[in-house]
Amino acid sequence: MRINEAVIDRLVANGVDTLFGIPGKQTLPLNEAISERTDIDFVMARHETAVSHQAWGYAETSGGLAATVVIPGPGDMNAMNGLKNALNDCTPLVHMAVETEPEIRGGDGIHETPPDTYDNVVKENVTVETPESTIAELQRAIDIALTAPMGPVRVGIPKNFLPMDVPLAEPGETETRTVGTPADERIAEAADLLAESEHPIIIAGGGVRASDASEELASLAETLDAPVFPTYKGKAVLPDDHDLFAGVLCGGTGSAVKNQIAAADAALGVGTDLDAVTMKHWEIDVPDDLVHVTLDADDIGVGYDPAVGIVADAGRTMGALESALETRSLASSNGHERARETRQAVEDRLAELVAVDESPLPSPSALSAIRDAVPREAVVAADAGGFRLWSLVMFEAYEPRDYVNPGSWATMGSGVPSAIGAKAANPDQDVVALTGDGGLMMCVHELHTLADEDIDVTVIVLNNSDYAIISEEAERSYRMEASEYGWQGTPLDFDAIASGMGLETMRADTPDEIRETVAAAIESEGPTLVEIPTDPHEPQASVWMAK
């Protein structure tokens, strides 16, 4: 069998049904192999940055492996942005780059880049050295990507290998792709600490999603009667309308949430590295009685010194903790009331902005109306930008795989591509991309991908004609003019842009119009863009919620 055909066979055998990429002369053997099959699709993007973000959105919303293919050099380096995003988010991707031929390496061949260029944006960087080893190395890369903590793995396959018909080494069976069973003595220590706590809390991160452990989280929270604070990457691991949900930890975290955490006498941080973004550079006052559960030992002791550190899987650890708590008397109380008080304080702080009904709306008013119109079971992919902080604070999400947003890499331009990946992974669900005009212009080419591939995604762009989160800081802290980085004098015509690429377009100015228009856009067939003008001078979440 030729290597190109064997590569596609191996992807399909590992559950890959969509390959995201941009074709080049180097990749054509793989495209040829795909063109003759019905069990795998090829989604052609318009820029390689979007390729890796499409795959990231696919993996984030499916829980499975995603795959990409690009040309070497420029294609590979353009894709680095999304690979780093996936690395920070522990998202499993296998990224295939069709490499320069071994005999030409070092001779400045077309698109040649030293393979080690990519070492720091992937979990592992694999360069295939012989034709016979291609499939064994590809499978090794897949196994690494799927072994917790998961992440992107790059596989460089020399382009002259792909057409070859050579005997291929068969990879051996992988015994396990999971790690991290908690030690009994650590579980006992943690259970003792949590059982004695009168006001415990839980901080739940993206590792809960990766472990498919939302049920374990809800059960443990109810056993402990502990308010739950999902991190920005853990949003929806507990539904936002659960009685114990108490607010998301992110750049927009406000005083009510921080005060409730400070009032706790014990905390369980599970599936999170308690990073600088989540914990506002560790300014949030976490109790000394902290149990920290993470898969990366290097995260233990960064920012906070835990009373008990556990390097283990989130789901296994929470299951073991619940079993241990069954034999202990629990001192906790008032968890539901504490969570409700915090939610109410956040709602009260938002009320003034949500109540605005004249255009241009502040983001909280627009997002509240959008939430009313978007079906509960829809997948929502949020871009980075100022509006994203508002969405983390107040846009309710209910299922762990139904809300996508970039983690600490926080790259703009990921919203539409990740929605494309989400729709490929979830063809029977409505998919909505939430983006700002700044983020959309960083991936505007992918509107054409939506149209060309006839991908039924609703793109909602909150348009304030400004990099407002930057302009606000420039005015507040650096004596610059209001809207220093805006373009109100040269406003973008998204109707012309999107319709010119083949999308249906709509516009809504008031909350009532938003509810009606967004519902209609989601109901319509094919890709649609809804433009909502928003206020460039609105307060930013990080400032407003802190008061």
Side-chain angles (χ1 to χ4, degrees), residues 99-353:
E99 271 284 359
T100 304
E101 304 96 312
E103 60 270 21
I104 295 177
R105 284 181 195 157
D108 201 20
I110 186 168
H111 298 331
E112 182 180 359
T113 309
D116 62 1
T117 300
Y118 312 97
D119 285 355
N120 293 320
V121 298
V122 290
K123 184 179 178 183
E124 188 151 337
N125 186 10
V126 176
T127 301
V128 178
E129 298 293 349
T130 65
E132 292 82 0
S133 69
T134 302
I135 302 308
E137 288 286 65
L138 176 59
Q139 185 61 56
R140 181 169 73 89
I142 291 170
D143 290 337
I144 292 168
L146 290 169
T147 298
M150 295 181 285
V153 177
R154 178 184 179 274
V155 184
I157 305 174
K159 69 177 184 179
N160 61 321
F161 289 5
L162 291 174
M164 292 183 182
D165 188 348
V166 297
L168 294 168
E170 283 294 323
E173 292 292 327
T174 301
E175 293 184 4
T176 180
R177 287 176 173 168
T178 61
V179 296
T181 298
D184 290 343
E185 57 269 30
R186 297 288 85 77
I187 289 295
E189 291 175 22
D192 286 341
L193 184 153
L194 294 171
E196 294 168 3
S197 169
E198 295 183 356
H199 303 296
I201 61 166
I202 298 175
I203 298 171
V208 176
R209 178 187 294 108
S211 185
D212 292 324
S214 286
E215 290 184 5
E216 290 87 343
L217 172 63
S219 181
L220 181 60
E222 288 159 6
T223 295
L224 281 171
D225 193 21
V228 177
F229 299 87
T231 71
Y232 64 107
K233 279 307 297 182
K235 185 173 173 70
V237 293
L238 187 78
D240 284 6
D241 59 356
H242 191 284
D243 286 346
L244 285 169
F245 170 78
V248 173
L249 290 169
C250 63
T253 296
S255 299
V257 170
K258 291 189 286 186
N259 291 342
Q260 191 63 259
I261 293 174
D265 57 2
L268 168 65
V270 58
T272 173
D273 54 6
L274 300 175
D275 63 47
V277 177
T278 296
M279 308 307 294
K280 298 181 80 70
H281 295 157
W282 305 290
E283 293 175 358
I284 295 177
D285 187 11
V286 172
D288 290 339
D289 284 346
L290 168 66
V291 178
H292 188 187
V293 181
T294 180
L295 276 175
D296 192 337
D298 290 341
D299 293 332
I300 301 289
V302 176
Y304 302 97
D305 294 323
V308 181
I310 299 175
V311 180
D313 175 77
R316 294 183 190 183
T317 302
M318 287 189 291
L321 279 172
E322 180 143 25
S323 295
L325 290 171
E326 290 175 356
T327 63
R328 290 163 169 80
S329 297
L330 303 183
S332 60
S333 63
N334 300 322
H336 284 73
E337 181 180 343
R338 288 184 286 135
R340 183 171 58 252
E341 288 175 352
T342 308
R343 292 196 306 271
Q344 187 61 55
V346 171
E347 184 177 333
D348 290 347
R349 183 63 187 144
L350 289 165
E352 178 183 340
L353 299 178

Side-chain angles (χ1 to χ4, degrees), residues 389-402:
L389 295 183
W390 287 120
S391 71
L392 286 167
V393 168
M394 61 165 296
F395 191 93
E396 288 192 348
Y398 310 108
E399 293 292 335
R401 296 280 176 195
D402 285 356

